Amino acid sequence: MSDAAAKPTGAAASSVADQGRVSIGQIFLEFLIIGGTSFGGVVPYLRGSLVTKRRWIDDKEFVEMLSISQSLPGLNATNMAILVGEKLRGALGSIVAVIGICLPGAVLMYAVGVFYRIHGDHVWVTAALKGVAAAAVGLILSTVVSLSKKSLEGKFDFFFMALTVIAVNRLHLGVPRTLIGVGILAILFHRPRKSQKESVAQ
């Protein structure tokens, strides 16, 4: 095997190189920033920081980690922090990532909780919360559009996506049950065919 074939190229090489230089302090600081600035939903900020800005993971890894985070109990943000931190620096990376992403929210939400208890029924506060809720939906939608361009490669991927939406929103099935069912169907559909195995063997 040649050296050129053995070494990753382009963005993949940059991502691998970046991972090799990631320190515990960098992990803590980045997740601290995410936790302190992720207004209206953390998923867009996670992707912007970890994939676009830092290149610690790529879109494929992000979608896979997000799927695991949503399939298991707990908050998506903390689950993602654990997975990314462990990938970058093992158990210690997971610990500092979770502390970093939770610390700003814990402090801010305590202050907001005190403020809301005193002024929550004010008309201006109610109007502001409605505006923030609409902006949060827009942030999540923008992330969905960006990820779908790279994750939905074939027409049957759209079928699996639609099936998941129908099962959760219309049939009111639980998320774990839906993901397991759709996951099994996807595995059966994407399994290597006999012709593909023969071509690989040749």
Side-chain angles (χ1 to χ4, degrees), residues 53-131:
K53 177 184 173 184
R54 292 294 185 179
R55 297 181 182 271
W56 288 345
I57 57 176
D58 56 26
D59 271 314
K60 180 177 181 294
E61 290 174 309
F62 182 83
V63 172
E64 291 173 349
M65 290 182 177
L66 184 60
S67 300
I68 296 172
S69 300
Q70 292 177 326
S71 304
L72 298 176
L75 301 176
N76 291 340
T78 54
N79 290 349
M80 282 289 292
I82 291 170
L83 292 173
V84 176
E86 197 283 331
K87 174 182 173 61
L88 296 175
R89 291 300 299 267
L92 184 57
S94 294
I95 293 171
V96 299
V98 170
I99 294 174
I101 202 168
C102 292
L103 185 59
V107 174
L108 289 173
M109 286 309 299
Y110 177 78
V112 169
V114 173
F115 178 84
Y116 184 76
R117 177 171 56 84
I118 300 173
H119 304 288
D121 57 348
H122 195 283
V123 62
W124 289 107
V125 174
T126 302
L129 291 175
K130 289 182 178 179

